[in-house]
Amino acid sequence: MNNTFKKLASLFFMLLAVGYICAQNYKPTIRFAVIADRTGGEQKGIFEQTLKQAQTLSPDFMISIGDVIEGYTTDMQYLNDMWDEFEGIKSQIKAPFYSVPGNHDCTNDIMVQEWMKRWGYMYKYMYVDGHLFWLLNTEENGDLSAEQIAYFEKSLENFPRDKWVYIFMHRPLWKENRANGYTKLKKALKDRKNVVVFSGHEHYYLKNTVEGIDHYIVATSGGGNSLRSNKLGEFHHFFFVTVTDDGPVVSNVLYDGIISDSIVNEQNEETVSALRSDGWVNVHPVFLETGCEDSVSVNIDAFCNTEAPLKLELLFESSDSLQFANDTIVKEVSKGDNRIVQTLYNPYGLDLVDCSPIFFNLRIQSEKEGVSTDFTKKCLIEKKHICSTRENWVNAYPYYVDEDWDWSGVEDGSFDFSVSQDKKHIIVKYKLTDDVVNSLSTPQEVQDKIFIELISGKTANRYTRLVVAGDCVYTEDYRSTGIKQTEQDGVVTVFIPKARYGIKDSFYFNLGFLDHDDVRNLDPSVIWWRPMLKDTSNPQFGKFYLQ
């Protein structure tokens, strides 16, 4: 299909939406567009096209749900460049344009000040043809301040209860762990039912009806999106909303047509969430004594929380040296715990640790929703880690990279390390590979730093995170620990007191490297040797036994 035909088809479908509204004998008073997240892994050109398409429908105004710049910086030139780029795009449309602040727009005090300079408000209400619009700020330390709530309550003092209130917020407070802010909001509304709520942030689509009120999460208008299927709520779009005396008529507009505004809702949300992410399918690490065992069992647990069953298809690829017992395993999983066991044979006695991790493909299917998603999973094979008086260096190719968009490979940032002991200490040594070194005097600031994770104690439930920044070792909240640290020939040595952290017979260990290359970027990658121990949903790797 050529581009001209696509544009004509897009315009045709959008005009159908307007025609549908007219056919229902609605008497519209206002028409406006709701624009979703532009940034957070921006896919270039989508936002511009979204605004052009929305403008084609001649809305009275547009409201963005926030995240209009990438942000996460304190560099004023960099910040101004971002805003100037956005302003240049916005200047191409004729309709008045409003926005709520998102986390990418107002990450820190400097960015908040710049937002105020450019927009003139952090939150606001406005009356339009007898209807009330609330533009909230959900970036106030994860809550809604008393001042903000009082401001919006004032707008309701003489506002008729039969009229509609349109609420816009970046974060979906009713879905996040921000119940306090949402409770305050509901209290301010005083049980009004003529209310509709629009939010974003999640980069997927959802419609919830909460206590009789429609709550929408718009997906993206250019922000990072896997775009695997409309049925997963993964698409670029905008809302075209027609305001009538009977309430809003919401049209969900894509580039190539219109889809139902209930495509993802509370009835199928659990199933769609399970299809979007493979986090509920956990591959257990394999721990070996020698590393050259003839065969190993790979245990895969699937904790399914959906009422309707899902089908898992696991695809394994054998090699000349390593063979799986089954090339394909298909299993229907029902709600609750489900275990799948695969056997890997090692006929030539290879060191399996050198072959680790072992990759395989996972497909999750839902017959009810008529959609499937594909993932790559990996099984980590480890020998039993011995912590002795002898150094045993590990070439730590990362198992996991947080904010991996900012990491270009091992030459960009990586590390080797060893873990040993003396009578009183666990001795951690590491050496970094880093193409750009960034070290600052204030440890709390974003800069190159090392995170050391420990889980210790008799029940292995005492979690500790230490931060090595500059020439000091700090707690997770940046209080000095007094822990001894030395550096020689690029090798840093940290002496962790066993008694202080309850280390006796064994402990779990992990190392992470925050690699800060671009000083303007406040959201850099963190390279982890193993999955973060702090996330209790991860299988626990990196167990060391004292010898």
Side-chain angles (χ1 to χ4, degrees), residues 42-53:
E42 182 187 5
Q43 297 174 356
K44 292 291 186 181
I46 302 296
F47 184 74
E48 294 89 323
Q49 187 64 22
T50 299
L51 295 191
K52 288 178 182 177
Q53 288 182 315

Side-chain angles (χ1 to χ4, degrees), residues 53 78 114 128 163 204 208 211 464 468 504 510 547:
Q53 288 182 315
Y78 190 39
E114 188 64 22
V128 184
K163 296 295 184 180
Y204 61 73
N208 276 156
E211 299 178 8
T464 301
V468 185
K504 293 184 178 179
N510 195 14
Q547 186 181 73

Side-chain angles (χ1 to χ4, degrees), residues 153-344:
E153 283 181 322
K154 185 178 179 181
S155 71
L156 293 171
E157 287 178 357
N158 298 306
F159 189 70
R161 293 190 65 85
D162 62 336
K163 296 295 184 180
W164 280 77
V165 182
Y166 293 80
I167 300 177
F168 302 83
M169 62 181 74
H170 180 65
R171 298 176 187 266
L173 296 182
W174 76 95
K175 294 292 290 182
E176 295 194 350
N177 295 323
R178 299 165 186 267
N180 190 39
Y182 187 65
T183 300
K184 292 177 185 176
L185 187 64
K186 289 197 299 181
K187 187 177 179 180
L189 289 166
K190 296 186 172 81
D191 297 320
R192 288 175 181 264
K193 295 301 181 186
N194 287 355
V195 177
V196 62
V197 180
F198 300 97
S199 68
H201 184 64
E202 300 292 346
H203 291 217
Y204 61 73
Y205 178 80
L206 177 65
K207 178 185 179 183
N208 276 156
T209 302
V210 182
E211 299 178 8
I213 296 174
D214 286 341
H215 292 61
Y216 292 94
I217 301 176
V218 291
T220 49
S221 297
N225 197 318
S226 299
L227 302 176
R228 290 172 292 186
S229 171
N230 290 350
K231 293 181 179 181
L232 297 175
E234 295 178 355
F235 41 76
H236 295 303
H237 70 134
F238 67 93
F239 278 166
F240 187 74
V241 183
T242 300
V243 175
T244 75
D245 290 337
D246 297 323
V249 179
V250 178
S251 297
N252 197 357
V253 185
L254 303 177
Y255 292 142
D256 54 357
I258 300 167
I259 58 175
S260 167
D261 73 339
S262 297
I263 190 168
V264 183
N265 55 48
E266 55 264 30
Q267 277 73 47
N268 65 356
E269 180 185 1
E270 280 189 344
T271 300
V272 171
S273 295
L275 288 163
R276 283 198 197 106
S277 170
D278 63 338
W280 55 280
V281 181
N282 288 318
V283 184
H284 287 257
V286 176
F287 297 101
L288 304 177
E289 290 292 331
T290 68
C292 301
E293 281 78 350
D294 294 337
S295 64
V296 297
S297 293
V298 178
N299 294 317
I300 302 160
D301 283 342
F303 182 77
C304 182
N305 65 351
T306 65
E307 294 296 336
L310 296 173
K311 185 167 76 171
L312 300 184
E313 183 177 5
L314 293 79
L315 305 173
F316 301 87
E317 187 173 341
S318 298
S319 67
D320 293 338
S321 304
L322 300 173
Q323 285 101 41
F324 289 101
N326 302 284
D327 291 334
T328 303
I329 297 176
V330 179
K331 183 178 178 66
E332 184 174 271
V333 295
S334 302
K335 191 166 188 176
D337 286 313
N338 302 266
R339 170 155 289 195
I340 300 167
V341 180
Q342 169 71 294
T343 302
L344 175 64

Side-chain angles (χ1 to χ4, degrees), residues 5 45 47 49 57 91 98 129 136 189 199-200 229 247 249 253 283 321 355 376 404 442 454 458 461:
F5 185 81
F47 184 74
Q49 187 64 22
L57 295 176
S91 68
Y98 305 95
D129 288 353
L136 274 63
L189 289 166
S199 68
S229 171
V249 179
V253 185
V283 184
S321 304
C355 303
T376 298
D404 58 357
T442 306
L454 300 169
K458 288 184 178 180
N461 61 0

